[in-house]
Amino acid sequence: MSLIDRYLLRLALWPMVGAMGVTLVALLLERILRLLDMLSASSDRFGFVAQLAVNLVPHYLGLTLPAAFFLALVVVVNRMNQSSEVDALLAAGVSLTRLAAPYLCLAAALTAVSLLVFGFLQPYSRYAYRAVLHTAQNAGWNGLVPAETILAPSKDLTMTTDEADAAGQRLSRIFIRRITDKGREEITTAKMAEIRRAADGKNVRLELQDGQQLRFNEQGRPEILSFKTFTMQLPMTGPARLLRARGGDERELTLFELADQARTGSSTLSSAALKGELYGRLARAFSLPLLPLLAVPLGLAAKRSGRAPGAIVGGILLLAFHHLIQLGEGLAAKGRVSAELAVGAPYLAFAAIALTVFFTSRKRPGETPIGQAMEHLGAFMARMRMKKATAGAAP
């Protein structure tokens, strides 16, 4: 590697890491908030949410890597262009192709990383996420009562308390609704309560103080019991296990498993769905080498038209490519279009756009079809505003 290559790669490294880190954290935080709300009734929700967040990292890493790489290249090339470093390199005989070469090498390395993430990490982490979520949603009650949370470990038991200590065992102002084995409803309130686990590990004993209990007798008449101390025994429920094995969804299969099952037809999943998932992952991974071909010319064009148009157009193209691949996978899974056409057409269209932009810009760096289209659009909008202003000023 030459000094120029090392310099260009070093410039792109930290913007890419920063963009990826910020985007990854933002996506994870948004998902964590939804998980906390979903698992609000679980007494061990924080432990479950931590496991779920870890298993979400490969999924969001696959989403953020192309966008962070593209954004970093646009920012770095534009920064070099604004400081006339690109002009100096071009004047020294460094072509646009040579300028993009280190970024193409970096894209090749990131493609290998993407194949690892899309092909192996995501399938296992997706299954692990579903397993943890299934366990969390069916975890029941472990004998602890967090404050200001309505617990409903079963359809026959509902509990809540206004205050609780850090361990969730000393409670204040507690409310309990229970349906007994005979189908009768009991409502118990107490000023204070203390939870003690039974030796068998299957029940807890609540020692209630200063409360009342409303219950119905055999004739259906209400009875109210006031007490200074009262002991109630409640059952704990353990977590449920995920019943099915990994592979019930094509997104839980690795690249090798997808290729093998699509070839042999040994899976319960349709061959079209398996091929659509396989080609979709490969298209996302191999789209990375196309990004420098698009980002470098757009970064050079930003000196003329500003940074925003290039970044915005590139972002729209990436977003459209991602959604078209998803659409193609869905159409292939339903058998409406062959997987090769449904996924290959968006990839070839994206590749054609990237190659056209790059080779057009080689002749006159900074001039791209996208930039020219944006200039024509800007000129058209300016003419429309002028005509509107002229019409408004006419008597």
Side-chain angles (χ1 to χ4, degrees):
M1 293 178 61
S2 67
L3 179 63
I4 294 176
D5 294 330
R6 292 195 296 271
Y7 177 68
L8 293 175
L9 291 175
R10 187 170 65 250
L11 286 179
L13 177 62
W14 292 114
M16 183 179 69
V17 172
M20 189 182 306
V22 170
T23 308
L24 189 62
V25 169
L27 292 173
L28 282 175
L29 285 177
E30 187 273 337
R31 191 64 173 269
I32 286 172
L33 291 176
R34 284 195 287 159
L35 290 172
L36 285 172
D37 181 64
M38 182 189 305
L39 303 178
S40 60
S42 173
S43 53
D44 191 26
R45 61 183 181 277
F46 294 106
F48 286 125
V49 167
Q51 297 179 56
L52 292 169
V54 170
N55 288 312
L56 282 171
V57 171
H59 171 70
Y60 286 127
L61 183 61
L63 293 177
T64 59
L65 183 59
F69 181 47
F70 175 81
L71 181 61
L73 293 186
V74 171
V75 170
V76 167
V77 174
N78 176 68
R79 187 184 302 166
M80 294 176 60
N81 202 19
Q82 296 291 341
S83 61
S84 299
E85 291 180 81
V86 174
D87 295 335
L89 290 172
L90 293 175
V94 178
S95 66
L96 184 64
T97 304
R98 183 65 183 84
L99 184 66
Y103 297 137
L104 290 171
C105 294
L106 178 58
L110 293 178
T111 300
V113 174
S114 296
L115 287 173
L116 176 64
V117 172
F118 287 125
F120 302 95
L121 293 182
Q122 280 191 5
Y124 284 102
S125 65
R126 178 171 280 110
Y127 177 77
Y129 173 85
R130 291 173 175 175
V132 174
L133 184 61
H134 181 88
T135 301
Q137 292 175 332
N138 296 276
W141 183 45
N142 64 355
L144 304 180
V145 182
E148 298 181 349
T149 299
I150 298 177
L151 292 179
S154 69
K155 62 180 182 180
D156 299 329
L157 179 63
T158 304
M159 304 174 60
T160 185
T161 183
D162 289 348
E163 297 177 5
D165 64 355
Q169 293 181 325
R170 294 182 179 273
L171 316 176
S172 299
R173 296 188 294 277
I174 187 171
F175 171 90
I176 302 172
R177 177 185 178 273
R178 183 174 67 162
I179 305 297
T180 65
D181 296 337
K182 297 181 179 180
R184 300 173 191 168
E185 184 179 25
E186 288 183 355
I187 297 178
T188 306
T189 60
K191 184 178 180 181
M192 303 288 294
E194 185 172 348
I195 298 176
R196 298 183 183 273
R197 294 194 183 188
D200 59 7
K202 298 180 180 180
N203 298 279
V204 295
R205 189 172 67 251
L206 267 69
E207 297 181 356
L208 306 167
Q209 300 177 13
D210 300 327
Q212 291 183 329
Q213 184 180 83
L214 171 65
R215 57 189 178 187
F216 295 86
N217 58 23
E218 296 180 356
Q219 289 76 32
R221 297 177 181 176
E223 297 178 348
I224 297 179
L225 170 66
S226 299
F227 55 84
K228 284 290 184 182
T229 61
F230 184 78
T231 300
M232 179 183 296
Q233 183 166 292
L234 299 175
M236 291 191 299
T237 55
R241 294 183 179 180
L242 191 64
L243 297 180
R244 69 171 178 84
R246 184 181 64 86
D249 186 341
E250 63 270 12
R251 293 180 296 175
E252 297 173 0
L253 299 173
T254 66
L255 285 178
F256 294 149
E257 290 170 342
L258 284 170
D260 181 67
Q261 293 186 19
R263 177 177 56 84
T264 61
S266 59
S267 175
T268 56
L269 302 170
S270 68
S271 178
L274 294 171
K275 288 183 179 180
E277 180 67 20
L278 174 62
Y279 297 151
R281 293 189 202 177
L282 293 176
R284 291 186 180 93
F286 286 103
S287 66
L288 284 166
L290 300 174
L291 296 184
L293 304 179
L294 187 64
V296 172
L298 290 179
L300 292 175
K303 190 173 184 179
R304 298 178 54 186
S305 57
R307 182 184 306 177
I312 291 174
V313 171
I316 292 174
L317 288 174
L318 278 178
L319 189 63
F321 172 73
H322 174 73
H323 285 292
L324 286 174
I325 292 295
Q326 281 188 328
L327 177 63
E329 291 174 348
L331 293 175
K334 293 180 180 179
R336 297 182 178 179
V337 185
S338 68
E340 293 81 0
L341 178 61
V343 178
Y347 180 81
L348 292 177
F350 185 72
I353 293 173
L355 291 170
T356 301
V357 169
F358 182 77
F359 285 107
T360 303
S361 185
R362 284 182 61 190
K363 299 178 181 179
R364 302 185 65 179
E367 292 190 7
T368 66
I370 293 177
Q372 294 172 1
M374 296 297 295
E375 290 178 1
H376 290 316
L377 180 61
F380 174 75
M381 296 299 294
R383 288 196 300 269
M384 294 299 295
R385 287 194 296 268
M386 186 177 296
K387 288 182 179 180
K388 185 177 180 181
T390 304

